[in-house]
Amino acid sequence: MVYEVKFEELSPAEWFRRNREIAGLTNPTRALYQTVREFVENSLDATETYGILPTIKIKIEYVDKSRNWVSVYVEDNGIGIPRDEIPNVFGKVFYSSKYRIKQQRGLFGLGAKMIILYAQSTTNKPVYVRSAPIGSDKIYEYVLSIDTVKNRPVIHEFREIENRYYWHGTAVKVVIEGDWSRAKRRIEEYLQRTYMIAPYAEIYLKGPDLTLYLPRVTTKLPVQPKEGLPHPKGVDVEFVKQLIMKDLNKKLIEFLVEHFDGVGKTIAKSFLEWAKLDEDKIVGKLTEEEITYLVSKMKEYPGWRRPKADWLAPVGEEILVEGIKKVLEPEFVAAVTRKPSSYSGYPFIVEAAIAWGGKIPSSEKPIIYRFANKVPLIYDEGSDVIRKVVEEIDWSNYKVKFPAPLAIIVHVCSTKIPYVSAGKEAIADVTEIEEEIKLAIREVARKLKLYISKKEKEEEIYVKYATFSMYGNEVANALAYVLKKDENEVRDLIQKLIIKKLGLGDVNATNKK
């Protein structure tokens, strides 16, 4: 018997259409949440990265409620997209401006395309895009879809409009199958958390039965990351082969200096001597075995400098505190930005904050707010290393007794976040990152302990003050009678003596309290 096996090629667009679950598009509820998330993150990247204070408008409405068809419209005031790039940006998988070594919210530029593919699969509706670059006298409008077989855009409509008011930015509208009633709470939570980490943004949301306005509370933007070079410990054989193909005639020592982070001639020379490699060897003449050997030695060499943090953009303690105060309205907040560290050749920075009291509800465990590259992580908290670290801390050491109004905020920024899965909702248990998270949380927890200790001391003093004042009145009455003095005069003298002994300061200020 002869068996015939049929082979065929699958385009990237078709592969991702069939495997939309990897982008979190598992059901109508998650899909609607993910759509808002992807477009909002693109809007933030198109604004703050270029020094523009973000203004983001979101409108969600039913198109056909009986079939759970909803339209999602997101508009920003970013740098916009050139006319000829718009079809590829929204209609071609693996076409993006994000293939650079620096901190970014997205990594592959897949998010928007996955949403468009989901829309095509569920409602068969194309995407509407309107955009104008800064200074453009034209606004460009496209209606397009993705040819999943050929992985290229299909343009249904196009027009140019006079840009009378010199608007700039991008607006996107898709019609998808989405469950608004179930996704509403998640979307609101996501926007609130985004606002917490980016209080310099102004965000509007208009939903079928929800209106949300988050006003800008600071005009200070985080320092933006620079584009960097790969670290020698963070590369693989295929990546090095690609670099060699671009620079075939370079000597090995020159190749290392020009293409890798923190590698000067002295370090390159030391490495090549340690690895027993010829520094004058032309990289284009390296054999496959020699390239493999080179990469393995690059990973093993202990003398490389730590990766630079120039391509990272932490939020910063000041902005983080502003956002937490606005969203959580706590009684006390403290934040810390740790010094840069690295894992497997990738630089990262951990920021942590602790918030206490005020409008934070009491609970049996700390309330955790997780962020990665300024993106709120809403799902899969149980799989996240941040949850693990928080649960391992003995909070009684910091004078916290549960139930308590305690919130922990942790932000990890890196050129490569080690997510647990493709859904990008939980950070993996990497030893170096876990240790930095632990140190950051303990640092802010010590500040909370000092605050609680101070409050306890103040409460103890005021209890004493109330007790002494109560008996002081009786003593004043008795002394006034014995000394034949004015009762009010004696009472004021005793009151001043109590305040002085307890260190409470001015009488009037104390009485006001």
Side-chain angles (χ1 to χ4, degrees):
M1 182 180 292
V2 177
Y3 294 95
E4 184 178 347
V5 180
K6 190 174 182 179
F7 294 92
E8 59 181 328
E9 181 181 356
L10 204 61
S11 77
E14 178 60 17
W15 190 89
F16 281 106
R17 185 194 69 78
R18 295 186 188 186
N19 296 278
R20 64 195 189 200
E21 294 80 9
I22 68 169
L25 305 172
T26 51
N27 55 61
T29 303
R30 186 76 180 264
L32 182 52
Y33 158 77
Q34 202 69 27
T35 298
V36 173
R37 172 180 165 172
E38 294 292 352
F39 288 155
V40 167
E41 286 168 16
N42 285 348
S43 293
L44 288 168
D45 280 338
T47 48
E48 67 173 65
T49 306
Y50 302 93
I52 301 170
L53 291 168
T55 296
I56 302 172
K57 300 173 183 177
I58 308 156
K59 187 175 183 181
I60 302 172
E61 56 187 355
Y62 284 111
V63 173
D64 186 337
K65 195 170 183 179
S66 66
R67 291 192 285 182
N68 268 346
W69 284 16
V70 293
S71 70
V72 179
Y73 173 88
V74 179
E75 178 186 325
D76 63 56
N77 61 328
I79 60 166
I81 306 169
R83 181 190 65 182
D84 295 338
E85 293 286 6
I86 293 172
N88 285 329
V89 167
F90 290 93
K92 191 173 184 179
V93 173
F94 291 137
Y95 189 91
S96 175
S97 63
K98 295 188 175 182
Y99 305 137
R100 301 287 186 273
I101 297 176
K102 66 176 183 177
Q103 177 188 326
Q104 302 174 100
R105 286 183 172 85
L107 188 59
F108 303 114
L110 275 172
K113 267 87 80 173
M114 292 295 289
I115 301 304
I116 295 166
L117 289 169
Y118 176 78
Q120 289 179 207
S121 298
T122 56
T123 66
N124 196 29
K125 300 289 185 182
V127 61
Y128 164 82
V129 182
R130 182 177 79 252
S131 192
I134 294 175
S136 173
D137 59 358
K138 300 287 185 182
I139 296 174
Y140 309 112
E141 287 188 341
Y142 282 88
V143 176
L144 54 87
S145 58
I146 301 174
D147 182 334
T148 59
V149 175
K150 297 179 180 179
N151 187 32
R152 68 183 186 188
V154 177
I155 299 171
H156 302 285
E157 296 178 31
F158 168 71
R159 67 172 179 161
E160 290 184 2
I161 306 169
E162 184 181 352
N163 194 0
R164 294 182 180 179
Y165 303 103
Y166 289 95
W167 170 80
H168 59 84
T170 302
V172 185
K173 182 178 180 180
V174 292
V175 178
I176 65 167
E177 181 184 346
D179 191 334
W180 165 252
S181 62
R182 293 176 182 271
K184 176 174 65 173
R185 186 179 66 83
R186 288 288 191 186
I187 291 170
E188 183 178 12
E189 183 181 4
Y190 164 76
L191 293 176
Q192 290 279 4
R193 293 193 182 198
T194 296
Y195 184 55
M196 184 189 296
I197 203 86
Y200 43 81
E202 182 179 34
I203 302 173
Y204 303 82
L205 168 67
K206 180 70 174 72
D209 56 1
L210 173 67
T211 300
L212 181 67
Y213 174 56
L214 302 171
R216 184 178 292 116
V217 296
T218 179
T219 56
K220 184 175 182 179
L221 287 165
V223 176
Q224 292 308 309
K226 300 174 184 177
E227 186 179 335
L229 296 171
H231 192 272
K233 280 184 176 289
V235 298
D236 57 31
V237 175
E238 193 59 34
F239 183 81
V240 171
K241 285 165 69 175
Q242 290 173 16
L243 289 179
I244 289 172
M245 291 302 295
K246 296 176 183 177
D247 229 345
L248 289 169
N249 297 317
K250 276 282 189 294
K251 292 180 180 179
L252 187 50
I253 189 167
E254 295 171 346
F255 174 78
L256 292 171
V257 170
E258 290 185 20
H259 290 286
F260 295 95
D261 171 33
V263 180
K265 278 198 172 181
T266 302
I267 290 179
K269 195 175 186 70
S270 298
F271 162 70
L272 293 169
E273 288 175 359
W274 175 85
K276 296 181 175 56
L277 289 167
D278 180 5
E279 66 178 62
D280 293 323
K281 178 91 173 188
I282 302 300
V283 292
K285 295 182 179 179
L286 290 171
T287 65
E288 293 285 329
E289 291 75 14
E290 287 173 328
I291 294 173
T292 304
Y293 175 79
L294 169 65
V295 173
S296 67
K297 289 301 178 182
M298 287 169 68
K299 290 179 179 295
E300 293 172 13
Y301 184 57
W304 302 123
R305 292 174 183 159
R306 292 176 68 172
K308 291 179 185 174
D310 294 4
W311 20 96
L312 299 181
V315 177
E317 295 172 20
E318 183 183 337
I319 296 175
L320 189 54
V321 166
E322 284 289 332
I324 292 167
K325 283 182 177 178
K326 185 66 178 178
V327 175
L328 299 183
E329 299 183 46
E331 171 189 322
F332 169 83
V333 61
V336 63
T337 298
R338 296 280 300 170
K339 289 182 179 179
S341 189
S342 66
Y343 79 95
S344 302
Y346 302 108
F348 73 92
I349 291 175
V350 170
E351 298 181 285
I354 198 163
W356 171 270
K359 293 191 176 180
I360 298 172
S362 289
S363 60
E364 294 296 335
K365 290 183 177 182
I367 301 168
I368 300 175
Y369 295 88
R370 302 170 296 126
F371 299 88
N373 286 348
K374 301 177 189 170
V375 176
L377 307 179
I378 306 293
Y379 289 90
D380 304 334
E381 184 178 294
S383 304
D384 199 299
V385 66
I386 296 170
R387 164 58 74 183
K388 175 188 173 186
V389 171
V390 171
E391 288 184 342
E392 288 177 352
I393 291 175
D394 184 354
W395 289 99
S396 64
N397 291 335
Y398 302 99
K399 291 185 171 290
V400 175
K401 298 175 183 177
F402 291 102
L406 177 66
I408 307 297
I409 300 92
V410 178
H411 174 224
V412 179
C413 59
S414 177
T415 54
K416 185 179 181 183
I417 297 288
Y419 291 109
V420 171
S421 65
K424 299 190 299 182
E425 286 285 356
I427 300 171
D429 189 353
V430 174
T431 303
E432 294 89 343
I433 294 178
E434 180 181 348
E435 186 61 26
E436 279 295 309
I437 292 171
K438 194 179 300 180
L439 291 170
I441 293 176
R442 284 178 174 170
E443 186 172 340
V444 290
R446 285 193 292 271
K447 294 179 182 179
L448 174 62
K449 181 181 179 180
L450 289 174
Y451 175 77
I452 293 174
S453 298
K454 184 180 177 183
K455 277 203 69 176
E456 287 176 346
K457 188 175 180 181
E458 287 176 354
E459 288 173 4
E460 184 182 338
I461 290 172
Y462 283 114
V463 168
K464 287 182 180 179
Y465 170 75
T467 304
F468 291 164
S469 295
M470 180 177 65
Y471 290 109
N473 289 334
E474 294 183 13
V475 172
N477 293 337
L479 283 175
Y481 177 77
V482 171
L483 298 173
K484 300 193 181 326
K485 296 282 186 181
D486 180 70
E487 187 177 313
N488 290 330
E489 185 181 339
V490 175
R491 186 179 291 111
D492 285 345
L493 287 170
I494 290 175
Q495 187 78 352
K496 288 178 180 178
L497 180 62
I498 292 170
I499 288 167
K500 183 179 179 181
K501 289 294 183 182
L502 292 177
L504 288 174
D506 182 72
V507 180
N508 294 328
T510 304
N511 287 336
K512 285 177 184 177
K513 289 178 183 178

